[in-house]
């Protein structure tokens, strides 16, 4: 069965192709259009489709639209009700555009029969992206801003079939609560929520008592959110204003209450699902790695697995999986575009950049990193989801306390934002404490005390780090680089952040990698097996 999944209705439009139980390709539209998040989540943009991503997915599989058995669209307009949607006078446009999606898709993908389009409820698509991506039966918890009429789904997967146990209807939404906070703190909502999570570590949750009254988990598995007067707590921050202690305290208070409520919901789901050992999670709220770690540490589950593309882009994959109704274990996030060595070399020649092909690009990168250089690491297929996982990464030395400032300067980011480590899997336990394995960087971990001063660049102000464990069987080249870096420095850890600059999507093509290398103070571009050194390229 050949199913193309499509996410388009809110933000992060994406496409994913599943063929006979195998995920062939998955990518966000932003990687093609170069517009961060693909589009803004406004009703007027709901008709826009991930046309470029969808066309690439089909090309990758050697298919044309007429070869598809179904197209799964991750929103079902038949479920929408005007009495529960947020107060948006234009929301009817979103619903109308969704109803017309089969025709829009047929226009974007010539040869597609509109009758092949199937609507998959938004939160069912989220749930499938997680619950059908592990081999075992599991409880599933979905939380985000909104779907058709709800903001939450609790359920259980048994034998590939979903049983919905509870859904929380709008206007109550933990995702929208966090979006409102993001907006109030002067950041871009539906985009910068991760900045609020980072900011929370600098504050004290002095408003926690109030938020326990305003945001409550209910006994029946849902939750209630009362109206919040944000301005009465702290004055709204203009985007260009300084960050204050009051802003950090507000972020810390909401983050703390979010963790408490999510833990209550996870416990309720465990009981309602009959006590499964595994919890799977998706939805934008599941990208809150601090809350994920809290659920894993204090919840009743033996295993917590979070879909790497937990935001709306992941519903493209989930919608496709939902039509198949079978478990398709998720083994890699490297589902996007890739280039052959011959194609990479042709691009380097076309750009006129001096390059070499060392015996080992991993060893070459490790040497530059050991000398405290910054490496643009471009290898294999790009990642599906918001995390750089060793395919489109900026790498640096974790032992220099100034690395965080340098990296945030390179990327044009706020200085309060942490940078994350990748670590050799076999060395994880002696350096970090927390969820293992962690190949997708979706949990925070406590840095063990005797390592805090050894890897200061990746130790956040609260003593944690968002770790990616690197396993030789799945990421041999990255593992080789880490092993060589450890041989040179004694540290089995390297800084890993996304290969992009502020406000731009992650680099996807070789040309974009070269453009970043040319415009940012990066010492080495490791483009496949090829090395481009700054001094040789620009005479520095």
């Amino acid at each position: 069965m050949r199913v193309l999944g499509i996410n388009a209705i809110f933000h992060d439009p994406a496409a994913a192709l599943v063929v006979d139980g195998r995920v062939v390709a998955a990518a966000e539209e932003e990687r093609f259009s170069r517009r961060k998040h693909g589009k803004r989540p406004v009703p007027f943009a709901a008709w826009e489709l991930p046309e470029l991503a969808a066309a690439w997915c089909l090309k990758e599989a050697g298919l044309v639209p007429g070869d598809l058995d179904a197209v799964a669209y991750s929103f079902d307009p038949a479920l929408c009700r005007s009495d529960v949607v947020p107060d948006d006078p234009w929301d009817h446009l979103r619903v109308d555009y969704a109803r017309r999606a089969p025709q829009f898709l047929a226009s974007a993908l010539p040869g597609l029969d509109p009758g092949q389009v199937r609507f998959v409820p938004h939160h069912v698509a989220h749930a499938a992206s997680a619950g059908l991506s592990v081999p075992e039966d599991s409880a599933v918890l979905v939380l985000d801003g909104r779907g058709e009429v709800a903001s939450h789904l609790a359920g259980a997967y048994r034998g590939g079939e979903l049983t919905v146990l509870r859904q929380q209807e709008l206007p109550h939404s933990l995702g929208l609560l966090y979006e409102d906070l993001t907006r109030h703190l002067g950041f871009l909502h539906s985009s910068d929520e991760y900045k609020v999570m980072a900011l929370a570590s600098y504050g004290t949750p002095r408003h926690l008592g109030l938020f326990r009254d305003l945001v409550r988990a209910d006994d029946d598995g849902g939750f209630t959110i009362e109206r919040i007067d944000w301005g009465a707590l702290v004055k709204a921050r203009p985007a260009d204003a300084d960050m204050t202690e009051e802003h950090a305290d507000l972020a810390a208070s909401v983050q703390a209450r979010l963790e408490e409520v999510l833990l209550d919901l996870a416990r309720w789901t465990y009981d309602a699902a009959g006590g499964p050992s595994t919890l799977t999670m998706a939805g934008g709220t599941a990208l809150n790695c601090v809350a994920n770690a809290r659920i894993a540490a204090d919840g009743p589950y033996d295993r917590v697995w979070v879909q790497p593309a937990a935001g709306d882009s992941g519903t493209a994959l989930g919608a496709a999986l939902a039509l198949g109704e079978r478990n398709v274990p998720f083994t890699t996030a490297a589902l996007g575009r890739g280039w052959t060595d011959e194609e990479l070399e042709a691009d380097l020649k076309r750009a006129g950049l001096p390059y070499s092909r060392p015996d080992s690009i991993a060893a070459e990168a490790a040497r530059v990193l050991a000398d405290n250089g910054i490496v643009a690491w471009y290898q294999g297929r790009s990642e599906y989801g918001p995390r750089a996982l060793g395919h489109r990464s900026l790498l640096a030395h974790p032992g220099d306390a100034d690395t965080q400032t340098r990296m945030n300067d390179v990327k044009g980011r706020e200085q309060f934002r942490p940078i994350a480590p990748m670590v050799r899997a076999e060395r994880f336990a002696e350096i970090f404490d927390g969820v293992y394995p962690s190949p997708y960087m979706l949990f925070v971990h406590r840095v063990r005390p005797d390592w805090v001063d050894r890897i200061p660049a990746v130790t956040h102000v609260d003593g944690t780090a968002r770790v990616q464990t690197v396993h030789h069987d799945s990421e041999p080249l990255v593992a080789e680089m880490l092993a060589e870096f450890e041989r040179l420095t004694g540290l089995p850890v390297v800084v890993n952040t996304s290969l992009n600059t502020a406000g731009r999507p992650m680099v996807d093509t070789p040309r974009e990698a070269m453009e970043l290398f040319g415009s940012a103070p990066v010492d080495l571009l490791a483009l496949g097996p090829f090395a481009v050194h700054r001094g040789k390229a620009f005479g520095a």
Side-chain angles (χ1 to χ4, degrees), residues 7 9-10 73-86 91 94-95 98 118-126 142 144-153 167-171 312 315:
N7 171 62
I9 197 69
F10 295 115
Y73 185 86
S74 63
F75 188 87
D76 187 352
L79 299 178
C80 294
R81 304 198 324 264
S82 60
D83 62 311
V84 296
V85 296
D91 195 67
R94 179 181 283 119
V95 178
R118 304 284 186 269
F119 293 114
V120 177
H122 189 70
H123 289 118
V124 171
H126 268 310
V142 173
D144 63 2
R146 62 163 293 195
E148 295 85 357
V149 295
S151 68
H152 151 268
L153 180 151
Q167 287 192 275
Q168 177 59 59
E169 287 196 345
L170 298 165
D312 274 7
T315 65

Short mmCIF file of all heavy atoms in Angstrom, two decimals, residues 7 9-10 73-86 91 94-95 98 118-126 142 144-153 167-171 312 315:
data_model
loop_
_atom_site.label_atom_id
_atom_site.label_comp_id
_atom_site.label_asym_id
_atom_site.label_seq_id
_atom_site.Cartn_x
_atom_site.Cartn_y
_atom_site.Cartn_z
N ASN A 7 0.49 17.14 5.97
CA ASN A 7 0.09 18.11 6.99
C ASN A 7 0.10 19.49 6.35
O ASN A 7 1.10 19.88 5.74
CB ASN A 7 1.04 18.11 8.19
CG ASN A 7 0.73 19.28 9.12
OD1 ASN A 7 -0.36 19.37 9.67
ND2 ASN A 7 1.68 20.20 9.27
N ILE A 9 -2.73 22.16 7.58
CA ILE A 9 -3.81 23.02 8.04
C ILE A 9 -3.35 24.16 8.94
O ILE A 9 -3.85 25.27 8.85
CB ILE A 9 -4.91 22.18 8.73
CG1 ILE A 9 -6.20 22.98 8.83
CG2 ILE A 9 -4.44 21.67 10.08
CD1 ILE A 9 -6.88 23.22 7.52
N PHE A 10 -2.38 23.91 9.81
CA PHE A 10 -1.94 24.95 10.74
C PHE A 10 -0.56 25.47 10.36
O PHE A 10 -0.43 26.47 9.68
CB PHE A 10 -1.96 24.42 12.19
CG PHE A 10 -3.34 24.08 12.69
CD1 PHE A 10 -3.66 22.77 13.00
CD2 PHE A 10 -4.32 25.05 12.84
CE1 PHE A 10 -4.92 22.43 13.47
CE2 PHE A 10 -5.59 24.73 13.30
CZ PHE A 10 -5.89 23.42 13.61
N TYR A 73 -4.75 13.15 4.82
CA TYR A 73 -4.70 14.58 5.18
C TYR A 73 -5.01 14.70 6.67
O TYR A 73 -6.07 14.26 7.14
CB TYR A 73 -5.72 15.34 4.34
CG TYR A 73 -5.72 16.83 4.49
CD1 TYR A 73 -4.86 17.63 3.74
CD2 TYR A 73 -6.60 17.47 5.37
CE1 TYR A 73 -4.89 19.01 3.85
CE2 TYR A 73 -6.63 18.84 5.48
CZ TYR A 73 -5.77 19.61 4.73
OH TYR A 73 -5.79 20.98 4.85
N SER A 74 -4.09 15.31 7.43
CA SER A 74 -4.15 15.22 8.89
C SER A 74 -5.07 16.26 9.55
O SER A 74 -4.68 16.95 10.49
CB SER A 74 -2.74 15.33 9.48
OG SER A 74 -2.17 16.60 9.18
N PHE A 75 -6.29 16.33 9.08
CA PHE A 75 -7.32 17.19 9.67
C PHE A 75 -8.64 16.75 9.06
O PHE A 75 -8.72 16.54 7.85
CB PHE A 75 -7.04 18.66 9.35
CG PHE A 75 -7.94 19.64 10.06
CD1 PHE A 75 -7.62 20.11 11.33
CD2 PHE A 75 -9.10 20.12 9.45
CE1 PHE A 75 -8.43 21.03 11.97
CE2 PHE A 75 -9.91 21.03 10.09
CZ PHE A 75 -9.58 21.49 11.36
N ASP A 76 -9.65 16.62 9.90
CA ASP A 76 -10.96 16.18 9.42
C ASP A 76 -11.99 17.28 9.64
O ASP A 76 -12.47 17.48 10.76
CB ASP A 76 -11.39 14.91 10.15
CG ASP A 76 -12.67 14.31 9.57
OD1 ASP A 76 -13.30 14.96 8.72
OD2 ASP A 76 -13.04 13.20 9.99
N PRO A 77 -12.32 18.02 8.60
CA PRO A 77 -13.25 19.16 8.78
C PRO A 77 -14.64 18.72 9.23
O PRO A 77 -15.38 19.54 9.80
CB PRO A 77 -13.29 19.80 7.39
CG PRO A 77 -12.89 18.70 6.44
CD PRO A 77 -11.90 17.88 7.20
N ALA A 78 -15.00 17.46 9.03
CA ALA A 78 -16.32 16.99 9.45
C ALA A 78 -16.47 17.01 10.97
O ALA A 78 -17.59 17.01 11.50
CB ALA A 78 -16.59 15.58 8.92
N LEU A 79 -15.35 17.05 11.69
CA LEU A 79 -15.39 17.05 13.15
C LEU A 79 -15.54 18.45 13.74
O LEU A 79 -15.80 18.59 14.95
CB LEU A 79 -14.12 16.41 13.72
CG LEU A 79 -13.85 14.96 13.35
CD1 LEU A 79 -12.52 14.51 13.95
CD2 LEU A 79 -14.99 14.07 13.84
N CYS A 80 -15.35 19.46 12.93
CA CYS A 80 -15.33 20.83 13.44
C CYS A 80 -16.71 21.29 13.89
O CYS A 80 -17.72 20.98 13.24
CB CYS A 80 -14.78 21.79 12.39
SG CYS A 80 -13.04 21.48 11.99
N ARG A 81 -16.74 22.04 14.99
CA ARG A 81 -17.97 22.63 15.51
C ARG A 81 -17.68 24.06 15.91
O ARG A 81 -16.71 24.34 16.61
CB ARG A 81 -18.49 21.86 16.74
CG ARG A 81 -18.70 20.39 16.51
CD ARG A 81 -19.61 19.77 17.58
NE ARG A 81 -19.44 20.32 18.91
CZ ARG A 81 -18.66 19.78 19.87
NH1 ARG A 81 -17.97 18.68 19.60
NH2 ARG A 81 -18.59 20.32 21.07
N SER A 82 -18.54 24.95 15.50
CA SER A 82 -18.32 26.37 15.76
C SER A 82 -18.44 26.72 17.23
O SER A 82 -17.94 27.75 17.68
CB SER A 82 -19.30 27.22 14.95
OG SER A 82 -20.63 26.89 15.30
N ASP A 83 -19.07 25.86 18.05
CA ASP A 83 -19.28 26.20 19.45
C ASP A 83 -18.05 25.95 20.32
O ASP A 83 -18.02 26.36 21.47
CB ASP A 83 -20.46 25.41 20.02
CG ASP A 83 -20.23 23.90 19.99
OD1 ASP A 83 -19.83 23.41 18.91
OD2 ASP A 83 -20.45 23.23 21.01
N VAL A 84 -17.03 25.28 19.77
CA VAL A 84 -15.86 25.00 20.60
C VAL A 84 -14.56 25.57 20.06
O VAL A 84 -13.54 25.50 20.73
CB VAL A 84 -15.68 23.48 20.81
CG1 VAL A 84 -16.83 22.89 21.57
CG2 VAL A 84 -15.46 22.77 19.49
N VAL A 85 -14.56 26.12 18.86
CA VAL A 85 -13.32 26.66 18.31
C VAL A 85 -12.94 27.93 19.05
O VAL A 85 -13.79 28.62 19.62
CB VAL A 85 -13.44 26.95 16.79
CG1 VAL A 85 -13.68 25.70 16.03
CG2 VAL A 85 -14.51 27.98 16.52
N PRO A 86 -11.65 28.27 19.06
CA PRO A 86 -11.24 29.52 19.69
C PRO A 86 -11.93 30.72 19.04
O PRO A 86 -12.48 30.63 17.94
CB PRO A 86 -9.73 29.56 19.43
CG PRO A 86 -9.34 28.14 19.21
CD PRO A 86 -10.52 27.49 18.55
N ASP A 91 -12.03 31.51 11.43
CA ASP A 91 -11.74 30.08 11.48
C ASP A 91 -12.54 29.28 10.45
O ASP A 91 -12.11 28.21 10.01
CB ASP A 91 -12.00 29.53 12.88
CG ASP A 91 -11.38 28.16 13.09
OD1 ASP A 91 -10.13 28.07 13.11
OD2 ASP A 91 -12.13 27.17 13.19
N ARG A 94 -10.53 28.31 7.51
CA ARG A 94 -9.68 27.13 7.68
C ARG A 94 -10.48 25.86 7.40
O ARG A 94 -10.02 24.95 6.70
CB ARG A 94 -9.10 27.13 9.09
CG ARG A 94 -8.21 25.94 9.38
CD ARG A 94 -7.68 25.97 10.81
NE ARG A 94 -6.59 26.93 10.95
CZ ARG A 94 -6.61 27.98 11.76
NH1 ARG A 94 -7.69 28.23 12.48
NH2 ARG A 94 -5.58 28.79 11.84
N VAL A 95 -11.67 25.79 7.95
CA VAL A 95 -12.51 24.61 7.78
C VAL A 95 -12.91 24.44 6.32
O VAL A 95 -12.89 23.33 5.76
CB VAL A 95 -13.75 24.69 8.69
CG1 VAL A 95 -14.66 23.49 8.47
CG2 VAL A 95 -13.35 24.79 10.15
N ALA A 98 -10.03 23.20 4.33
CA ALA A 98 -9.79 21.78 4.59
C ALA A 98 -10.76 20.91 3.80
O ALA A 98 -10.38 19.87 3.26
CB ALA A 98 -9.90 21.50 6.09
N ARG A 118 -8.06 10.97 1.99
CA ARG A 118 -8.77 10.57 3.19
C ARG A 118 -8.45 11.56 4.31
O ARG A 118 -7.28 11.89 4.53
CB ARG A 118 -8.35 9.17 3.64
CG ARG A 118 -8.52 8.09 2.59
CD ARG A 118 -9.98 7.69 2.42
NE ARG A 118 -10.11 6.57 1.51
CZ ARG A 118 -10.28 6.69 0.19
NH1 ARG A 118 -10.33 7.89 -0.36
NH2 ARG A 118 -10.40 5.61 -0.57
N PHE A 119 -9.47 12.00 5.01
CA PHE A 119 -9.26 12.89 6.16
C PHE A 119 -8.99 12.05 7.41
O PHE A 119 -9.76 11.13 7.73
CB PHE A 119 -10.49 13.77 6.39
CG PHE A 119 -10.74 14.76 5.30
CD1 PHE A 119 -11.87 14.67 4.50
CD2 PHE A 119 -9.84 15.78 5.05
CE1 PHE A 119 -12.12 15.59 3.49
CE2 PHE A 119 -10.06 16.71 4.04
CZ PHE A 119 -11.20 16.62 3.26
N VAL A 120 -7.90 12.37 8.09
CA VAL A 120 -7.54 11.69 9.34
C VAL A 120 -7.62 12.73 10.45
O VAL A 120 -6.98 13.79 10.34
CB VAL A 120 -6.12 11.11 9.27
CG1 VAL A 120 -5.72 10.48 10.60
CG2 VAL A 120 -6.02 10.09 8.14
N PRO A 121 -8.39 12.50 11.51
CA PRO A 121 -8.46 13.48 12.60
C PRO A 121 -7.06 13.88 13.08
O PRO A 121 -6.16 13.04 13.20
CB PRO A 121 -9.25 12.75 13.69
CG PRO A 121 -10.11 11.80 12.92
CD PRO A 121 -9.26 11.34 11.77
N HIS A 122 -6.91 15.16 13.37
CA HIS A 122 -5.59 15.73 13.67
C HIS A 122 -4.89 14.99 14.80
O HIS A 122 -3.72 14.61 14.69
CB HIS A 122 -5.74 17.22 14.00
CG HIS A 122 -4.45 17.95 14.13
ND1 HIS A 122 -3.63 18.21 13.06
CD2 HIS A 122 -3.81 18.47 15.22
CE1 HIS A 122 -2.55 18.87 13.47
NE2 HIS A 122 -2.65 19.04 14.78
N HIS A 123 -5.60 14.77 15.90
CA HIS A 123 -4.95 14.14 17.04
C HIS A 123 -4.79 12.63 16.86
O HIS A 123 -3.90 12.03 17.48
CB HIS A 123 -5.71 14.47 18.33
CG HIS A 123 -5.53 15.90 18.74
ND1 HIS A 123 -6.57 16.78 18.83
CD2 HIS A 123 -4.42 16.61 19.04
CE1 HIS A 123 -6.11 17.97 19.19
NE2 HIS A 123 -4.81 17.89 19.31
N VAL A 124 -5.60 12.02 16.03
CA VAL A 124 -5.37 10.62 15.67
C VAL A 124 -4.07 10.51 14.86
O VAL A 124 -3.28 9.57 15.04
CB VAL A 124 -6.56 10.06 14.89
CG1 VAL A 124 -6.24 8.68 14.32
CG2 VAL A 124 -7.79 9.98 15.79
N ALA A 125 -3.83 11.49 13.98
CA ALA A 125 -2.58 11.50 13.21
C ALA A 125 -1.38 11.67 14.14
O ALA A 125 -0.36 10.99 14.01
CB ALA A 125 -2.61 12.59 12.16
N HIS A 126 -1.49 12.60 15.09
CA HIS A 126 -0.41 12.75 16.08
C HIS A 126 -0.19 11.43 16.83
O HIS A 126 0.94 10.98 17.01
CB HIS A 126 -0.79 13.84 17.09
CG HIS A 126 -0.31 15.22 16.74
ND1 HIS A 126 1.00 15.49 16.39
CD2 HIS A 126 -0.97 16.42 16.72
CE1 HIS A 126 1.13 16.80 16.16
NE2 HIS A 126 -0.06 17.38 16.35
N VAL A 142 -1.31 12.79 23.57
CA VAL A 142 -1.12 13.85 22.59
C VAL A 142 -1.58 15.16 23.20
O VAL A 142 -2.70 15.24 23.73
CB VAL A 142 -1.93 13.57 21.30
CG1 VAL A 142 -1.87 14.77 20.36
CG2 VAL A 142 -1.42 12.31 20.61
N ASP A 144 -1.32 19.52 22.25
CA ASP A 144 -0.82 20.59 21.39
C ASP A 144 -1.70 21.81 21.57
O ASP A 144 -2.45 21.91 22.55
CB ASP A 144 -0.74 20.14 19.94
CG ASP A 144 -2.10 19.78 19.33
OD1 ASP A 144 -3.13 19.92 20.03
OD2 ASP A 144 -2.13 19.37 18.16
N GLY A 145 -1.62 22.75 20.62
CA GLY A 145 -2.48 23.92 20.68
C GLY A 145 -3.93 23.58 20.42
O GLY A 145 -4.81 23.81 21.25
N ARG A 146 -4.18 22.97 19.27
CA ARG A 146 -5.54 22.58 18.92
C ARG A 146 -5.55 21.65 17.73
O ARG A 146 -4.62 21.61 16.93
CB ARG A 146 -6.40 23.81 18.60
CG ARG A 146 -5.91 24.61 17.40
CD ARG A 146 -6.98 25.54 16.86
NE ARG A 146 -8.09 24.81 16.27
CZ ARG A 146 -9.00 25.36 15.48
NH1 ARG A 146 -8.96 26.65 15.20
NH2 ARG A 146 -9.99 24.63 14.97
N GLY A 147 -6.66 20.91 17.62
CA GLY A 147 -6.97 20.15 16.42
C GLY A 147 -8.29 20.66 15.90
O GLY A 147 -8.52 21.87 15.82
N GLU A 148 -9.20 19.76 15.57
CA GLU A 148 -10.51 20.20 15.08
C GLU A 148 -11.33 20.82 16.20
O GLU A 148 -11.81 21.96 16.08
CB GLU A 148 -11.28 19.00 14.48
CG GLU A 148 -10.64 18.42 13.24
CD GLU A 148 -9.57 17.39 13.55
OE1 GLU A 148 -9.27 17.16 14.74
OE2 GLU A 148 -9.03 16.82 12.59
N VAL A 149 -11.49 20.10 17.31
CA VAL A 149 -12.29 20.61 18.44
C VAL A 149 -11.60 20.36 19.77
O VAL A 149 -12.14 20.74 20.82
CB VAL A 149 -13.70 19.96 18.48
CG1 VAL A 149 -14.50 20.36 17.26
CG2 VAL A 149 -13.60 18.44 18.60
N ALA A 150 -10.45 19.73 19.77
CA ALA A 150 -9.79 19.33 21.01
C ALA A 150 -8.34 19.79 21.01
O ALA A 150 -7.79 20.24 19.99
CB ALA A 150 -9.87 17.82 21.19
N SER A 151 -7.70 19.66 22.17
CA SER A 151 -6.28 19.99 22.31
C SER A 151 -5.50 18.85 22.94
O SER A 151 -4.32 19.02 23.25
CB SER A 151 -6.13 21.24 23.20
OG SER A 151 -6.51 20.95 24.55
N HIS A 152 -6.15 17.69 23.08
CA HIS A 152 -5.54 16.59 23.84
C HIS A 152 -6.22 15.28 23.47
O HIS A 152 -7.42 15.26 23.17
CB HIS A 152 -5.71 16.91 25.34
CG HIS A 152 -5.81 15.71 26.24
ND1 HIS A 152 -7.02 15.15 26.59
CD2 HIS A 152 -4.86 14.99 26.90
CE1 HIS A 152 -6.82 14.14 27.43
NE2 HIS A 152 -5.51 14.02 27.63
N LEU A 153 -5.44 14.23 23.46
CA LEU A 153 -5.97 12.89 23.28
C LEU A 153 -5.17 11.95 24.17
O LEU A 153 -3.94 11.96 24.16
CB LEU A 153 -5.87 12.44 21.83
CG LEU A 153 -6.39 11.04 21.46
CD1 LEU A 153 -6.89 11.00 20.02
CD2 LEU A 153 -5.31 9.95 21.65
N GLN A 167 -10.54 12.86 25.39
CA GLN A 167 -10.10 14.05 24.67
C GLN A 167 -10.59 15.28 25.40
O GLN A 167 -11.71 15.31 25.90
CB GLN A 167 -10.62 14.05 23.23
CG GLN A 167 -9.93 13.04 22.32
CD GLN A 167 -10.26 13.26 20.86
OE1 GLN A 167 -11.27 12.77 20.37
NE2 GLN A 167 -9.41 13.99 20.17
N GLN A 168 -9.73 16.30 25.47
CA GLN A 168 -10.12 17.55 26.10
C GLN A 168 -10.50 18.55 25.02
O GLN A 168 -9.70 18.88 24.15
CB GLN A 168 -8.98 18.13 26.94
CG GLN A 168 -9.29 19.47 27.57
CD GLN A 168 -10.50 19.40 28.48
OE1 GLN A 168 -10.52 18.64 29.44
NE2 GLN A 168 -11.54 20.19 28.18
N GLU A 169 -11.75 19.02 25.08
CA GLU A 169 -12.20 19.97 24.08
C GLU A 169 -11.69 21.38 24.38
O GLU A 169 -11.36 21.73 25.52
CB GLU A 169 -13.74 19.99 24.02
CG GLU A 169 -14.33 18.77 23.36
CD GLU A 169 -15.79 18.97 22.96
OE1 GLU A 169 -16.43 19.94 23.43
OE2 GLU A 169 -16.29 18.16 22.16
N LEU A 170 -11.60 22.16 23.32
CA LEU A 170 -11.30 23.57 23.42
C LEU A 170 -12.44 24.28 24.15
O LEU A 170 -13.55 23.76 24.20
CB LEU A 170 -11.13 24.15 22.02
CG LEU A 170 -9.97 23.54 21.20
CD1 LEU A 170 -10.12 23.93 19.74
CD2 LEU A 170 -8.63 23.99 21.72
N PRO A 171 -12.21 25.42 24.76
CA PRO A 171 -11.01 26.26 24.64
C PRO A 171 -9.87 25.88 25.57
O PRO A 171 -8.83 26.55 25.57
CB PRO A 171 -11.55 27.65 24.99
CG PRO A 171 -12.61 27.38 26.01
CD PRO A 171 -13.27 26.10 25.54
N ASP A 312 3.43 19.55 14.41
CA ASP A 312 2.47 19.26 13.36
C ASP A 312 3.08 18.60 12.13
O ASP A 312 2.39 17.87 11.41
CB ASP A 312 1.73 20.54 12.95
CG ASP A 312 0.53 20.82 13.83
OD1 ASP A 312 0.34 20.09 14.83
OD2 ASP A 312 -0.23 21.76 13.53
N THR A 315 2.41 14.94 11.86
CA THR A 315 1.09 14.39 11.51
C THR A 315 1.03 13.92 10.07
O THR A 315 0.14 13.14 9.72
CB THR A 315 -0.03 15.42 11.77
OG1 THR A 315 0.12 16.54 10.88
CG2 THR A 315 -0.05 15.88 13.21
#
